[in-house]
Amino acid sequence: MAANPAKDKKIGIVGSGLIGRSWCMLFASVGYQVSVYDSDPRQVSSALADIQQQLQELSASGLLRGSLTAEEQCQRVSAAKDMEDCVQGAKFVQECVPEVLDIKKEIFAKLDDLAGDNTILSSSTSSMVPSLFTRGIKKRAHAIVCHPTNPPYYCPLVEVVPSPWTDPEVLEQTVALMREIGQSPVIIKKEIDGFALNRIQYAIMGECWRLINDGVISVEDMDKVMSDGLGMRYAFLGPLETAYLNADGFHVYAERYGEMFLRIQKSFGEPIPMSGSSLDRIHNELNKVTPVENISSRRQWRDRRLAALAKLKSDMDTKDSK
Ligand SMILES: NC(=O)c1ccc[n+]([C@@H]2O[C@H](COP(=O)([O-])OP(=O)(O)OC[C@H]3O[C@@H](n4cnc5c(N)ncnc54)[C@H](O)[C@@H]3O)[C@@H](O)[C@H]2O)c1
């Protein structure tokens, strides 16, 4: 990257909660001018203060992204007067409002009126397919989803989801932009509820729920199956390549484990609702380890580990490429 990658191009962020703040930092890290709007002005003030603090801490711990200083990155993020001010002249707008379909529809209708003809209109939605809230808008060919992984600064995956009417060039430009800001985009080729990440996450969580509900394993041990077992490999290898390496290729894997793969999947059964005594048991066991009032310090603990893991992965990638 150039010593000073300052750009005069503008990015609009609508919604300055947890995810909006992260997008601000990611775009500023490569020099974009970021304009952030929220219907609650106190949220924007708190976001700007939070971004400044986070950038300083990242800089102090050597984890700041990009080549600009924390102060230079901070100066690139500013509060918009209103939504028009936020999106005017922006090459890309990222919507980060709550996961409620009517709010997404309202915001995309406004963006349709306010944004320029070539502006890409992107949503952070975690599960809603873009056709649900872009069907009726004039600029629907420019609308797309970029679903980040929380916390986006350390988990680079972004699911890029076009609707059936998204212009293929918009998809291409969006993928390129995600790469430019250091994220790792994957394309969801067909609209599907929950995309790939949340479908996989809920398949895992559903089975955890069943095993605990059926008294097979404790909450603590269930989490360990992932954190000390599967998760160790999944931090750098997907489940498909993991299996491929566990045998001599997939045909051998299928020969050895194909019957078990099918037999166990057939035993999964109907999904179990998150309610009743299982819900209380799981909550109470986790609450013994981290009382709800201490959750924010445990989140900081998580982020320190994720930061260290992200650094390890980047150092190993650099070493492997030499
Ligand atoms: N939190 C996560 O782990 C996560 C991960 C990936 C994607 N997402 C998605 O990102 C989106 C935002 O989630 P979040 O966790 O940042 O929520 P949040 O509640 O932290 O922030 C939402 C912000 O939107 C603002 N807002 C509400 N209505 C608005 C409007 N009409 N116009 C402008 N601003 C408005 C709120 O004031 C708030 O600041 C959701 O769609 C969510 O599903 C969240």
Side-chain angles (χ1 to χ4, degrees):
M1 197 183 291
N4 184 352
K7 294 186 170 74
D8 52 10
K9 295 217 172 102
K10 176 179 166 185
I11 302 289
I13 304 289
V14 178
S16 61
L18 189 70
I19 291 301
R21 295 168 191 204
S22 292
W23 280 117
C24 288
M25 289 164 61
L26 293 173
F27 283 110
S29 74
V30 297
Y32 280 107
Q33 300 292 339
V34 183
S35 178
V36 54
Y37 167 74
D38 199 293
S39 53
D40 178 354
R42 287 164 309 176
Q43 276 287 84
V44 180
S45 315
S46 128
L48 294 179
D50 183 27
I51 289 169
Q52 181 173 30
Q53 189 188 342
Q54 285 196 58
L55 289 173
Q56 280 163 356
E57 285 170 8
L58 286 162
S59 175
S61 52
L63 293 167
L64 189 69
R65 289 201 191 191
S67 57
L68 298 169
T69 64
E71 204 187 323
E72 286 168 330
Q73 294 188 24
C74 205
Q75 282 165 359
R76 278 166 169 74
V77 185
S78 60
K81 285 201 302 283
D82 49 30
M83 204 154 128
E84 186 172 5
D85 183 33
C86 171
V87 305
Q88 213 167 43
K91 83 168 208 165
F92 186 92
V93 174
Q94 183 72 25
E95 164 275 303
C96 315
V97 300
E99 189 77 356
V100 177
L101 182 56
D102 282 345
I103 307 184
K104 304 281 187 202
K105 279 185 178 166
E106 179 200 319
I107 295 293
F108 272 78
K110 282 189 186 157
L111 292 175
D112 198 26
D113 289 337
L114 298 173
D117 287 344
N118 295 319
T119 306
I120 296 178
L121 309 174
S122 169
S123 170
S124 300
T125 175
S126 302
S127 66
M128 292 182 219
V129 296
S131 59
L132 285 176
F133 50 90
T134 66
R135 182 174 296 275
I137 67 171
K138 295 182 295 292
K139 298 188 179 111
R140 63 188 202 163
H142 280 77
I144 199 157
V145 163
C146 284
H147 169 229
T149 311
N150 193 41
Y153 210 83
Y154 306 119
C155 297
L157 183 87
V158 176
E159 291 180 298
V160 182
V161 193
S163 70
W165 41 77
T166 302
D167 181 340
E169 260 186 47
V170 166
L171 171 61
E172 210 176 290
Q173 287 167 19
T174 303
V175 166
L177 180 63
M178 290 300 119
R179 292 207 176 103
E180 185 192 359
I181 63 170
Q183 298 305 86
S184 171
V186 295
I187 299 171
I188 305 299
K189 294 193 278 184
K190 286 183 184 172
E191 289 197 331
I192 184 164
D193 194 19
F195 317 138
L197 186 141
N198 274 323
R199 293 184 78 84
I200 301 296
Q201 173 161 247
Y202 291 151
I204 293 172
M205 194 123 82
E207 195 50 23
C208 291
W209 206 263
R210 183 187 324 283
L211 295 176
I212 293 165
N213 191 57
D214 291 354
V216 175
I217 192 164
S218 70
V219 172
E220 189 186 356
D221 284 356
M222 185 71 262
D223 269 350
K224 244 187 231 175
V225 168
M226 187 57 81
S227 60
D228 286 350
L230 293 172
M232 293 292 286
R233 308 186 295 217
Y234 289 175
F236 56 94
L237 270 182
L240 299 174
E241 198 180 351
T242 296
Y244 185 83
L245 299 184
N246 275 0
D248 296 321
F250 240 112
H251 290 105
V252 178
Y253 189 91
E255 211 176 285
R256 282 189 203 157
Y257 306 114
E259 188 275 327
M260 179 167 81
F261 168 75
L262 211 56
R263 190 189 75 232
I264 293 175
Q265 281 194 88
K266 280 183 183 165
S267 73
F268 282 168
E270 284 294 304
I272 302 173
M274 270 190 181
S275 57
S277 59
S278 300
L279 174 60
D280 293 341
R281 193 157 85 233
I282 293 174
H283 175 84
N284 293 341
E285 282 196 37
L286 287 165
N287 192 52
K288 271 189 227 148
V289 185
T290 305
V292 170
E293 56 274 21
N294 295 345
I295 272 188
S296 70
S297 67
R298 186 67 171 170
R299 282 198 195 117
Q300 286 166 6
W301 172 92
R302 174 199 68 188
D303 289 352
R304 282 196 301 278
R305 271 153 187 76
L306 278 171
L309 183 61
K311 182 159 187 335
L312 174 72
K313 283 181 60 146
S314 144
D315 290 350
M316 296 287 282
D317 287 347
T318 311
K319 213 166 134 197
D320 287 350
S321 67
K322 279 183 185 159

